Amino acid sequence: MLGAWLVRHFLGEAMRLTSVSSFYRNAYNTNAKIEDGCFINNHAKIFGVTDGNSAAFSPSNPPLLYNGLTGAQMVNVVLTRELANIFYNNILEEFLLTANREVFSCHGEKGQNPMKGDDVGGACFAFCQPTEEGLKIILGGDCFIFLEAKQGPFFYTGFDKDAFEIEKRDQMHFNECKEKVGGDIGKAWDLYYPIYRNKRIACKNRNIGKGGDASLNGDPELDNCWKQVFIPWNDEPRLVILGTDGLLPPTEIYPRNFSTLTGKISRHYESGGIENILMWRDSIEQKKSSLTHIEGWPEASAVVLEFRTT
């Protein structure tokens, strides 16, 4: 599952990108759609992961399909196609916004428009691009970046405190629906459908700072909602992990825990790489079972970059 691409390109005068690797784990449920994505383009120096999310659906409200693909899968296909067309250096923001405009067109072909309040498929994302000055990072939704640098480990995500609170409340609403129907997952999703749909409409590229988050769903507001982080080469970034939320224990990902979370990720990665992080994730979730809307574990993706000083 783990592949590596050696990159021999000098980045500035201080740091050199020595390797890039990708990782993917399927969801426990073999019927689950593959909606995560890993993106590596060494020529454009663009790297990232996505966690696709389709518009709300349930057994009584089937998903809208795009030539047989879910909305989440369509977004990843668009990103893959756009990135494959870049051979030379390109600005990360331009790549994401070009893909976002194409996603908007795909929704329009189905009569959907996120600007008019339609719930549409999109993707959480974490992308980075080494530049001459440093490492450019752009985040949306609950994807994350873990970084080891001279000052220590750091953790960034596109979610803020209010967004995490909304997700926690959202899980409670699903649990209530599940209890009302005697534990039947399908009936629970039917009951939960309007709640989930309304939350998505209210939060995707809306109400940033009040629980909203950026989603690559075609909405032109994307670049006003995403989170940007810049790491100068003077900070000497040594390790970067771009990951989807399925890589980490949900109960550990909360702003007040970030300082301890970084230490745990660092220790588990050093002792056994991404596989060891997943073992840690699963051991915690088996005890707490916080994600009652899924069986077993969700899919997880990561792209890992390693640097060294020149």
Side-chain angles (χ1 to χ4, degrees), residues 230-243:
F230 183 75
I231 309 297
W233 295 126
N234 287 343
D235 287 355
E236 297 181 13
R238 298 185 296 273
L239 172 70
V240 171
I241 300 175
L242 302 159

Side-chain angles (χ1 to χ4, degrees), residues 61-300:
N61 302 275
L64 179 65
L65 297 180
Y66 300 73
N67 296 321
L69 301 175
T70 67
Q73 291 173 325
M74 176 273 291
V75 173
N76 281 330
V77 168
V78 168
L79 283 163
T80 300
R81 184 170 59 238
E82 292 298 329
L83 190 58
N85 287 331
I86 303 172
F87 189 81
Y88 297 106
N89 288 1
N90 191 39
I91 298 172
L92 177 58
E93 293 92 331
E94 289 182 359
F95 156 65
L96 293 174
L97 292 177
T98 299
N100 195 55
R101 287 190 290 269
E102 179 62 23
V103 169
F104 182 84
S105 297
C106 291
H107 289 317
E109 292 172 3
K110 294 293 182 178
Q112 301 295 300
N113 187 338
M115 297 176 65
K116 295 183 178 180
D118 291 328
D119 177 23
V120 296
C124 301
F125 57 91
F127 278 87
C128 75
Q129 182 179 44
T131 69
E132 290 184 2
E133 295 79 22
L135 196 62
K136 182 189 297 182
I137 298 161
I138 301 182
L139 299 152
D142 56 6
C143 286
F144 70 89
I145 180 169
F146 168 80
L147 176 81
E148 281 191 350
K150 181 170 59 176
Q151 302 295 332
F154 298 93
F155 183 89
Y156 302 98
T157 176
F159 266 18
D160 59 17
K161 179 181 177 182
D162 288 336
F164 279 109
E165 287 294 338
I166 284 181
E167 287 299 303
K168 194 188 303 185
R169 193 160 63 243
D170 210 35
Q171 182 65 57
M172 291 174 58
H173 286 151
F174 183 83
N175 293 345
E176 291 169 0
C177 291
K178 188 177 175 182
E179 289 179 10
K180 288 180 180 178
V181 297
D184 187 297
I185 295 293
K187 291 180 180 178
W189 273 108
D190 280 339
L191 190 61
Y192 176 60
Y193 170 80
I195 301 172
Y196 183 49
R197 182 176 181 275
N198 290 337
K199 185 210 75 168
R200 288 178 53 83
I201 292 173
C203 293
K204 297 303 176 184
N205 297 313
R206 302 285 185 277
N207 294 315
I208 302 301
K210 299 178 181 178
D213 63 283
S215 173
L216 206 155
N217 68 356
D219 194 318
E221 285 296 307
L222 174 64
D223 58 334
N224 292 322
C225 300
W226 65 31
K227 181 175 183 177
Q228 291 184 284
V229 178
F230 183 75
I231 309 297
W233 295 126
N234 287 343
D235 287 355
E236 297 181 13
R238 298 185 296 273
L239 172 70
V240 171
I241 300 175
L242 302 159
T244 60
D245 66 323
L247 200 68
L248 301 175
T251 49
E252 296 283 318
I253 312 173
Y254 197 74
R256 66 169 178 265
N257 296 337
F258 283 178
S259 59
T260 56
L261 177 62
T262 54
K264 292 177 181 178
I265 294 174
S266 181
R267 288 195 300 274
H268 287 294
Y269 184 81
E270 288 178 5
S271 63
I274 296 296
E275 291 92 342
N276 209 58
I277 291 177
L278 284 171
M279 288 176 60
W280 163 61
R281 179 227 173 267
D282 293 347
S283 67
I284 290 179
E285 284 306 292
Q286 286 171 4
K287 298 174 184 176
K288 298 184 178 180
S289 301
S290 61
L291 296 178
T292 58
H293 64 288
I294 64 170
E295 180 185 8
W297 57 78
E299 62 181 337

